[in-house]
Amino acid sequence: MKLDRKRLLLPGLVFALSFLFLLPARAECAHRGELRVRMEPSCTEEGKEVYYCSICDEYTYRTLPKLNHDFPSNWTVDREPTCETPGEKSIHCRRCGVRTDFVEIPALGHSFSQQAAVVAPTCTDWGYTEGVCERCGLCVKSKYTEPTGHTPGLWQTDRRATCTEKGVSSLHCAVCDAVMEQKLLPTVEHAYTEQTVAPTCTQAGCTLRTCRVCGAQTKTNTVKALGHSFPASGVQTKAPTCTEKGEETLTCTRCGAEKTRSLSALGHSYGESWITDKASTCTARGEKSHHCIRCGKRRDVTSLPLAEHVPVPDAAQTDAATCEKAGKSGGTHCAVCGKTLCAATVIPALGHAFGEPVVLTAATCTEKGSAQSVCARCGKTEITSTPALGHSYSESWTTDKAPTCTAQGEQSHHCTRCGKRRDVTSLPRTEHFDVTDPVVEPTCTEKGKTAGAHCKYCGKVLIEQTDIPAKGHDFRRISTLQEPTCTEKGRAMMGCTVCGAAQETELPALGHSYDSAWTVDVPATCTARGEQSHHCIRCGKRADVTALPRTEHSIVYEGVVEPTCTKAGRADRAYCSVCGKELSEKTAIPARGHAPQVTVTAATTKRDGSAVTTCEICGETLKTAVIPRIKSVALSADSFVFSGKKRTPSVTVRDSGGKTLKAANCYTVQYAPGRKEIGRYTVTVNFCGDYAGSVTRTFKIVPRKPAGLEVSAGENRLALRWKPVRGATGYKVYLFNAETGGYTLLKTTKKPAFSMKKLLPGAVYLLHVRAFTKCGDCVLAGPLSARKAAATKPLAPKVAAKRQNGKAILSWQPCGDCVYEIYAAEKKNGKFTLLGTTKKTAFTAGAFPAGSTRCFKVKAVVRQKTRVLSAAAGEIRVLQF
């Protein structure tokens, strides 16, 4: 009868496993815990593996041997050789890259191009042949040829002759345009034009004849000077003070001439607010007074009441209580005057405060352990024993030998404490471990390779690498051998930007590039046409040659009857001063027109001003304009946060018509000195030009917002602490009010700390802190700090537990704004698993198998969004099912 091996395999395996369970437990821990730290070995240093045994709570170590260097047979080029310097190659370790067997690579030497560049000789410069190294670009010149010398061309006019200077004509070289010979051209006659010059404040008017070539002048028909016209108000050069006069400069509206005029003193202007001149202490009164806003002079000096005492502890009278001995608390006294404010009191003995026991000897599966508790105050110790643990096999499999792609592995169930094995089972071979073969980039002339892969352990090729074609050269111009012109081609040396290969190439002719602006070749006169054209900006060739129309005659009058502002005049004779032609139709002389002058009445903050325009010659009123009054003067910002830098807010001034005035023409700004520290500062705007008067505005520099806000919590208190703010005299603490949606002031303190007491356990509080500085009679408050969410510690839930139909019913008392997390474990010292989360005060867990034991605990957690602010866990409750 043939046996069925598959039917016999399962009963045999069950029998073997049951036999393993009957084996006796080993007496000592095998230390086969989980791998916690692995430090890989290197070529020169040993490695290490650290295992943690969860049974005996000990660490074991295993040393890994160093790998030693792995040098290949092929060379690696460390420094490429150049034309003039040698290179270097060596053998590199595959793992750490250390080098050995250094060998020098000889220099390559220069490799000049066979097609050398030939530079032709010029009139004055030698010609030569230029060779360029294909590798490093070095240029070498040879085969020099003599200059060709100048070739006479055409005579050109370099400078035209005028009525005062002779002209210059020169013979230029036909090749390089160099000057070979020069000669002088004779002068020409004057060409006069007439111009009527109006009189000014200090100079008389006239009819001026001017040569348009050399500028020679003659005057006729003179008119007397007009005299200065100063405005009613000018620009302050020295501001008046309370006791001293000022000065202002008046500017003539026609010629800009200046004169100085004194301004009367302003007199004292006392502010309405009180300013503290000397702060009060607990033993001496201070002083306050009204100050002049300009010079600071005081009046109405008044004394201030005494300040409160500043309590500090009497450190010398403090005797702290201990665990077994009573102590004495220190009293307080005033830090300023030393007065005793509170007497010392007796503190009863504290009693021992033993902390959590510390394991001295860890219990194992077969042996007892011991633990020690230490009083947190006096250091007294107390030793207790802990029972043996017994073996506890893990339900999960542990891999004892990892499988590879060529060999099977091994797994078993381990004791979680001592590492003893059972149920040893083989593991199938793994898949190949892919290792990427890197991409080999192609060059200009050589192929590359794509990425591939092979097995790290057995070396089998998994993805075969394929060839990548060469990229080819990327040529760019590196030098110009011969510049192209408008009609002739040029030559240039091209170099590859990748590998440095070089070759010569031809540059196309540029072609003519004509200037878009016209060039006057022959100026037009009143008797002959001129000529203009577009010139090439490189070679000067002309195109689009166009004739220019004749100019107007230059008229000269004789026997003149002068015109007025509104009536024309006449002349007995009119002729052209250039060509001499008689112009009888030009004997009528047009009217001059009015000569306007403006008289300004300055505008102020209360009334409009005006600008009246009259004719200086006939006195007729031509125009009257209204200058709108000054409506608003505003600073770009009236509050700044202290930064240690000078603050200078800009000023914006608008008139009643909505127009923004310019500072340069309408006003000047005077800032108070300093403007760096915390305080209030003035900005004075002094109006000028079409405006008069002055306006004062103020801005303030406030303390920085407090940073580093930290909160420590108890069950019914919160302790706040933050970094001190420079220049602050105190701080204000704010609490968010859910009913109003705003913040309520809790406390004003001088120290960067504050304690909130008698709070509800497990409650959330949203807090802000603001720094402030007292400046005279005002308080300068800085910005609010970043909002800080904090919560008091919840009370540890007192859990009631009972069984019902295999389920556990848990209940507890509520505590603040808490969410409750329910955990369970098979043993009190086992691993607790989260069963669920609820906002209610009851939870049902199960069902659990009969005969099992479960331990339950409830944790009260206060959260804001996903962040845990505070938490507390209750006592463990044990149920037998």
Side-chain angles (χ1 to χ4, degrees):
M1 181 178 179
K2 189 176 181 179
L3 295 175
D4 190 347
R5 294 182 179 180
K6 293 182 179 180
R7 291 184 178 181
L8 295 176
L9 181 61
L10 182 60
L13 181 61
V14 172
F15 176 79
L17 293 174
S18 61
F19 178 76
L20 290 175
F21 276 109
L22 296 176
L23 292 176
R26 293 179 64 182
E28 64 181 49
C29 184
H31 298 307
R32 295 296 299 275
E34 62 179 319
L35 177 64
R36 287 294 179 88
V37 178
R38 176 181 173 87
M39 292 180 287
E40 296 293 340
S42 65
C43 297
T44 57
E45 294 182 359
E46 294 180 341
K48 183 177 288 186
E49 288 182 342
V50 181
Y51 293 86
Y52 171 73
C53 181
S54 59
I55 300 171
C56 62
D57 197 27
E58 291 185 6
Y59 289 87
T60 58
Y61 306 89
R62 186 167 76 91
T63 302
L64 303 176
K66 62 182 179 182
L67 303 177
N68 296 324
H69 293 299
D70 183 11
F71 291 107
S73 59
N74 58 317
W75 294 89
T76 300
V77 177
D78 302 315
R79 185 177 69 252
E80 293 287 348
T82 65
C83 298
E84 298 178 350
T85 59
E88 188 179 75
K89 65 180 181 179
S90 63
I91 296 177
H92 290 212
C93 175
R94 290 191 178 95
R95 280 187 289 270
C96 66
V98 69
R99 300 190 300 160
T100 186
D101 300 336
F102 298 90
V103 175
E104 183 179 272
I105 304 172
L108 302 176
H110 294 293
S111 175
F112 293 103
S113 173
Q114 295 180 357
Q115 297 180 352
V118 178
V119 179
T122 65
C123 300
T124 56
D125 295 331
W126 289 72
Y128 56 87
T129 301
E130 184 181 62
V132 180
C133 178
E134 295 178 344
R135 280 189 288 269
C136 66
L138 177 68
C139 295
V140 176
K141 297 178 182 179
S142 61
K143 298 181 181 179
Y144 286 90
T145 56
E146 294 182 356
T148 59
H150 293 298
T151 302
L154 300 176
W155 284 91
Q156 298 180 14
T157 301
D158 299 330
R159 185 177 72 240
R160 293 182 181 275
T162 66
C163 49
T164 57
E165 292 182 354
K166 293 183 179 182
V168 177
S169 178
S170 60
L171 177 63
H172 286 236
C173 175
V175 179
C176 67
D177 201 37
V179 176
M180 300 176 63
E181 185 180 350
Q182 284 186 337
K183 64 181 179 180
L184 297 177
L185 301 176
T187 59
V188 298
E189 295 182 354
H190 291 292
Y192 287 108
T193 59
E194 285 191 355
Q195 179 186 3
T196 301
V197 179
T200 64
C201 298
T202 57
Q203 294 182 354
C206 64
T207 299
L208 183 66
R209 295 183 66 201
T210 305
C211 178
R212 66 169 179 266
V213 178
C214 67
Q217 295 179 338
T218 59
K219 297 180 181 180
T220 59
N221 304 325
T222 57
V223 181
K224 66 177 181 179
L226 302 174
H228 292 297
S229 175
F230 292 105
S233 59
V235 179
Q236 284 189 6
T237 56
K238 177 183 178 183
T241 64
C242 299
T243 57
E244 294 183 358
K245 293 182 178 181
E247 287 183 355
E248 69 174 355
T249 301
L250 302 176
T251 305
C252 178
T253 57
R254 281 191 294 268
C255 67
E258 295 182 350
K259 73 174 183 178
T260 303
R261 184 173 64 186
S262 63
L263 300 174
S264 58
L266 302 175
H268 293 295
S269 176
Y270 292 96
E272 296 181 359
S273 59
W274 290 94
I275 296 176
T276 302
D277 302 314
K278 176 182 177 183
S280 297
T281 65
C282 55
T283 57
R285 292 177 177 269
E287 284 184 351
K288 65 178 181 178
S289 62
H290 289 120
H291 285 210
C292 176
I293 62 175
R294 283 186 290 268
C295 66
K297 183 176 180 180
R298 298 195 304 161
R299 77 173 186 184
D300 305 330
V301 180
T302 307
S303 61
L304 298 173
L306 295 175
E308 295 183 356
H309 292 290
V310 180
V312 293
D314 300 332
Q317 298 180 7
T318 301
D319 187 7
T322 64
C323 299
E324 299 175 351
K325 182 181 177 181
K328 182 175 67 173
S329 67
T332 59
H333 65 277
C334 178
V336 179
C337 64
K339 182 179 179 181
T340 300
L341 304 177
C342 180
T345 57
V346 177
I347 302 172
L350 302 176
H352 292 294
F354 288 106
E356 291 293 329
V358 177
V359 175
L360 298 176
T361 304
T364 66
C365 298
T366 56
E367 296 182 358
K368 293 182 179 180
S370 62
Q372 176 180 306
S373 299
V374 180
C375 178
R377 283 188 290 270
C378 67
K380 185 176 181 180
T381 60
E382 183 180 56
I383 299 176
T384 57
S385 64
T386 56
L389 303 176
H391 290 297
S392 174
Y393 289 98
S394 172
E395 295 181 359
S396 60
W397 292 93
T398 300
T399 301
D400 303 313
K401 179 182 178 183
T404 66
C405 54
T406 57
Q408 290 185 340
E410 196 173 79
Q411 67 177 1
S412 61
H413 289 122
H414 284 212
C415 176
T416 59
R417 284 185 288 273
C418 67
K420 183 179 179 181
R421 298 196 304 161
R422 72 177 185 184
D423 308 334
V424 180
T425 308
S426 62
L427 295 173
R429 288 183 296 177
T430 62
E431 298 292 333
H432 290 291
F433 186 86
D434 295 352
V435 176
T436 302
D437 298 322
V439 175
V440 178
E441 293 294 338
T443 65
C444 298
T445 57
E446 296 183 359
K447 296 179 180 181
K449 288 186 178 181
T450 61
H454 66 276
C455 179
K456 177 180 179 181
Y457 300 106
C458 66
K460 182 179 179 179
V461 177
L462 304 178
I463 301 175
E464 188 174 357
Q465 291 181 289
T466 59
D467 290 337
I468 301 173
K471 296 180 179 179
H473 292 294
D474 180 19
F475 283 110
R476 297 287 189 274
R477 187 192 298 188
I478 58 176
S479 65
T480 301
L481 303 178
Q482 181 178 345
E483 292 288 349
T485 65
C486 297
T487 57
E488 295 182 359
K489 296 180 180 179
R491 293 181 300 108
M493 183 64 69
M494 307 296 289
C496 179
T497 60
V498 180
C499 67
Q503 71 177 22
E504 187 177 327
T505 187
E506 188 178 74
L507 301 177
L510 302 176
H512 293 295
S513 177
Y514 292 100
D515 192 349
S516 59
W518 290 94
T519 299
V520 177
D521 302 314
V522 179
T525 66
C526 57
T527 58
R529 292 176 177 271
E531 196 175 75
Q532 66 179 0
S533 63
H534 290 124
H535 286 211
C536 176
I537 61 176
R538 283 186 287 271
C539 67
K541 184 178 179 180
R542 298 198 302 160
D544 307 329
V545 180
T546 307
L548 294 173
R550 289 181 297 179
T551 60
E552 295 292 333
H553 290 291
S554 180
I555 304 171
V556 176
Y557 294 99
E558 292 181 355
V560 177
V561 176
E562 294 294 334
T564 65
C565 297
T566 56
K567 292 181 180 182
R570 64 180 179 80
D572 295 337
R573 180 188 174 213
Y575 63 93
C576 177
S577 63
V578 178
C579 65
K581 183 179 178 181
E582 293 288 338
L583 304 171
S584 58
E585 72 276 9
K586 298 292 184 178
T587 54
I589 302 175
R592 292 180 178 178
H594 292 293
Q597 67 173 1
V598 181
T599 302
V600 177
T601 301
T604 65
T605 57
K606 297 181 180 180
R607 67 175 185 274
D608 294 338
S610 62
V612 180
T613 305
T614 58
C615 177
E616 294 183 357
I617 301 172
C618 64
E620 181 182 348
T621 300
L622 305 177
K623 182 181 178 182
T624 301
V626 176
I627 303 173
R629 67 179 181 85
I630 300 163
K631 184 177 181 180
S632 64
V633 178
L635 301 180
S636 59
D638 58 3
S639 179
F640 295 91
V641 177
F642 172 77
S643 64
K645 298 180 180 179
K646 181 177 288 188
R647 297 294 190 175
T648 306
S650 60
V651 177
T652 302
V653 181
R654 290 186 174 88
D655 61 16
S656 58
K659 178 183 176 182
T660 302
L661 305 184
K662 295 183 179 180
N665 303 324
C666 302
Y667 61 90
T668 59
V669 182
Q670 183 178 358
Y671 292 92
R675 309 193 306 281
K676 289 184 178 181
E677 301 300 328
I678 297 171
R680 297 177 69 90
Y681 299 92
T682 60
V683 180
T684 304
V685 181
N686 299 308
F687 295 102
C688 59
D690 293 346
Y691 304 89
S694 63
V695 174
T696 301
R697 294 289 183 267
T698 61
F699 69 93
K700 58 185 177 180
I701 299 177
V702 299
R704 291 192 182 108
K705 67 179 179 181
L709 180 59
E710 297 179 354
V711 181
S712 59
E715 291 182 351
N716 58 0
R717 67 174 185 84
L718 291 175
L720 284 72
R721 186 174 294 277
W722 56 90
K723 294 180 180 178
V725 177
R726 177 183 171 183
T729 56
Y731 306 90
K732 295 183 179 182
V733 184
Y734 295 88
L735 173 67
F736 178 74
N737 190 331
E739 296 180 357
T740 62
Y743 287 85
T744 303
L745 177 62
L746 289 181
K747 180 70 174 181
T748 299
T749 177
K750 294 182 179 179
K751 298 180 180 179
F754 175 65
S755 295
M756 301 171 61
K757 300 179 179 179
K758 297 181 181 180
L759 304 178
L760 296 175
V764 179
Y765 297 89
L766 302 178
L767 302 164
H768 275 301
V769 178
R770 167 183 282 159
F772 67 89
T773 301
K774 290 184 178 180
C775 183
D777 292 340
C778 64
V779 176
L780 303 178
L784 289 170
S785 68
R787 187 175 71 179
K788 183 71 174 181
T792 52
K793 288 185 178 180
L795 298 174
K798 295 182 179 180
V799 182
K802 63 179 181 179
R803 302 185 304 273
Q804 185 175 347
N805 298 327
K807 297 182 179 181
I809 300 175
L810 309 176
S811 61
W812 55 87
Q813 295 295 325
C815 177
D817 301 326
C818 295
V819 175
Y820 303 96
E821 296 177 350
I822 297 88
Y823 295 85
E826 294 183 357
K827 297 180 180 179
K828 280 189 175 183
N829 57 354
K831 182 178 180 180
F832 281 83
T833 305
L834 178 66
L835 298 180
T837 303
T838 181
K839 290 186 177 181
K840 299 179 180 179
T841 57
F843 185 81
T844 301
F848 299 101
S852 64
T853 302
R854 291 293 185 271
C855 302
F856 300 93
K857 68 178 180 180
V858 178
K859 181 188 288 186
V861 179
V862 182
R863 282 194 178 95
Q864 187 188 39
K865 296 181 180 179
T866 59
R867 187 161 59 100
V868 175
L869 300 180
S870 189
E875 295 181 356
I876 298 174
R877 292 289 181 262
V878 182
L879 292 179
Q880 298 285 343
F881 294 93

